[in-house]
Amino acid sequence: MTSAIDLRSDTVSRPSDAMRAAMAVAPVGDDVFGDDPTVALLEERAAEVMGKEAAVFVPSGTMANLVAVLTHTKPGDEIILGDQNHIFQYELAGAARFGGVITHALPNEANGALDPNQVAAAIRREDMHAPGSTLLCLENTHNRCGGAAVPVETISVLADVAHQRKLSVHLDGARIFNAAAALGVPARQIAESCDSVSFCLSKGLGCPIGSVLCGSHDFVQRARRNRKMLGGGMRQVGIIAAAGLYALENNVTRLAEDHANARALADGLRELGPFRPNSPETNIVIVDIVRGSLDGWLDAFAREGVQGVAFGPQRMRLVTHINITRADIDDALGRIQAAVGATAV
Ligand code: TLP
């Protein structure tokens, strides 16, 4: 069989030859001593792109979120977030285990937003009995809400509610450049009302490793200590940062192609009886299974060489990325049609 079309995540994307070439010649130094010029350049560039004073390079999006939580809160605090947020769903309760904070999860709306009234009602002032709410965590694009691009205005209304009550706001912008492309605004505008923002280099941007956490000088200085505590202080890591610099230069403007491919995939799936796909705003296609079982379809797709992941009891996720062309989408739809033909449901 020809090679599989891997739509499990944009994290499966591989570095291009040009990216590898940039990595090979990167000047490096010991970054824990602050000696790596390529990391310094990436952090400077990232801060500029996000409109923040400073930035710190971390190995993963999960560590970026955890460092943000640790830096914004103290043990015994409460953080407020959506029940579909990555921090709540997929980060193994790291905030509770390492930060000693309690999470109050509010229902996410289908478009990835939270209800500002519910956020206001959830905020607690520290007293003899109650923990104090000190951080609101938002996400954009919103992964579990089908890659929804949350509008700038929605983010700023929620941030205002938090700031009025003295909470800080962290934005998990793992896919913020996808949001920016979909909304037609610069990423910094999406992050403007947030105190900190993280973004991933290893998803749509096609890097092998890395995320960046951005905020004020003071925040980033304290974040560096938390990164070190978690074991995220890295040494000659300019070799990886060079991939990030390459990606910020070359791989941002092309994200609209991934979005168009996701729409084409969803349109094709909609024609096939067993599937009810979302109307993707970005690169994430969420497919509700209306006939047959999720596991059965995942297996049937895999037999035809199309890989997706489970995203709920009867829900599959397919993600487009830099290694998937429009021809791959047509090919995938052909293979899925073959899977439907071979499956009696
Ligand atoms: N998400 C992964 C899985 O963990 C679900 C994926 O395949 O989408 N924030 C958001 C919004 C994310 O989607 C992810 C990764 C992260 C943070 C964590 O990034 P990494 O994997 O670098 O720790």
Side-chain angles (χ1 to χ4, degrees):
M1 192 204 285
T2 49
S3 63
I5 300 169
D6 194 345
L7 302 172
R8 288 173 299 169
S9 181
D10 43 11
T11 60
V12 305
S13 57
R14 291 174 308 275
S16 64
D17 290 344
M19 182 180 279
R20 285 168 185 263
M23 295 168 76
V25 297
V28 296
D30 187 328
D31 186 50
V32 174
F33 284 110
D35 284 352
D36 193 302
T38 312
V39 172
L41 205 58
L42 173 65
E43 291 178 345
E44 195 183 307
R45 181 88 189 97
E48 185 185 314
V49 171
M50 290 299 151
K52 302 295 177 204
E53 289 174 4
V56 55
F57 187 40
V58 291
S60 68
T62 301
M63 193 185 285
N65 283 334
L66 181 54
V67 168
V69 169
L70 290 174
T71 310
H72 282 299
T73 64
K74 61 181 191 317
D77 283 358
E78 174 176 68
I79 67 176
I80 296 173
L81 77 183
D83 62 357
Q84 300 304 310
N85 270 39
H86 197 274
I87 292 176
F88 189 68
Q89 289 278 339
Y90 293 121
E91 297 185 10
L92 297 131
R97 294 163 71 179
F98 301 109
V101 298
I102 185 173
T103 45
H104 185 162
L106 299 171
N108 268 116
E109 293 172 359
N111 62 2
L114 294 172
D115 176 342
N117 295 321
Q118 287 188 14
V119 172
I123 294 173
R124 297 197 273 178
R125 179 102 27 240
E126 186 177 308
D127 66 16
M128 187 53 77
H129 302 285
S133 319
T134 53
L135 179 65
L136 173 69
C137 294
L138 303 173
E139 187 175 314
N140 204 6
T141 63
H142 204 295
N143 185 356
R144 280 191 63 86
C145 295
V150 185
V152 174
E153 175 67 11
T154 308
I155 300 279
S156 78
V157 165
L158 290 165
D160 280 353
V161 170
H163 287 146
Q164 277 160 19
R165 304 277 296 273
K166 306 257 180 304
L167 279 74
S168 300
V169 180
H170 170 64
L171 178 64
D172 176 351
R175 298 184 178 85
I176 195 170
F177 293 107
N178 295 86
L183 298 169
V185 298
R188 66 158 66 77
Q189 207 171 317
I190 299 173
E192 196 173 359
S193 58
C194 303
D195 302 286
S196 61
V197 55
S198 52
F199 67 93
C200 289
L201 296 161
S202 56
K203 300 194 166 62
L205 300 190
C207 296
I209 309 174
S211 286
V212 190
L213 174 63
C214 312
S216 69
H217 283 303
D218 170 64
F219 172 84
V220 167
Q221 207 177 338
R222 289 182 295 114
R224 284 187 193 283
R225 296 190 75 231
N226 286 322
R227 177 187 67 170
K228 187 72 178 69
M229 179 180 75
L230 295 173
M234 301 178 286
R235 304 295 177 172
Q236 286 72 25
V237 75
I239 207 160
I240 304 293
L245 281 166
Y246 177 91
L248 287 176
E249 196 63 43
N250 297 286
N251 293 350
V252 173
T253 48
R254 59 153 309 284
L255 289 170
E257 276 175 49
D258 297 342
H259 301 178
N261 285 340
R263 283 194 298 274
L265 180 61
D267 289 346
L269 287 167
R270 207 169 288 116
E271 303 294 307
L272 304 174
F275 313 121
R276 194 171 299 139
N278 65 339
S279 299
E281 291 176 36
T282 60
N283 66 329
I284 295 180
V285 182
I286 300 287
V287 189
D288 283 327
I289 309 294
V290 292
R291 278 210 320 270
S293 74
L294 171 68
D295 285 346
W297 284 118
L298 282 169
D299 287 348
F301 279 31
R303 275 195 299 276
E304 297 295 334
V306 177
Q307 294 173 283
V309 293
F311 222 52
Q314 277 293 83
R315 180 170 279 192
M316 190 189 295
R317 187 188 72 168
L318 302 166
V319 184
T320 58
H321 54 83
I322 193 166
N323 299 135
I324 299 294
T325 62
R326 179 55 202 260
D328 291 325
I329 295 297
D330 294 340
D331 189 0
L333 284 168
R335 295 179 192 211
I336 292 168
Q337 207 158 11
V340 171
T343 309
V345 283

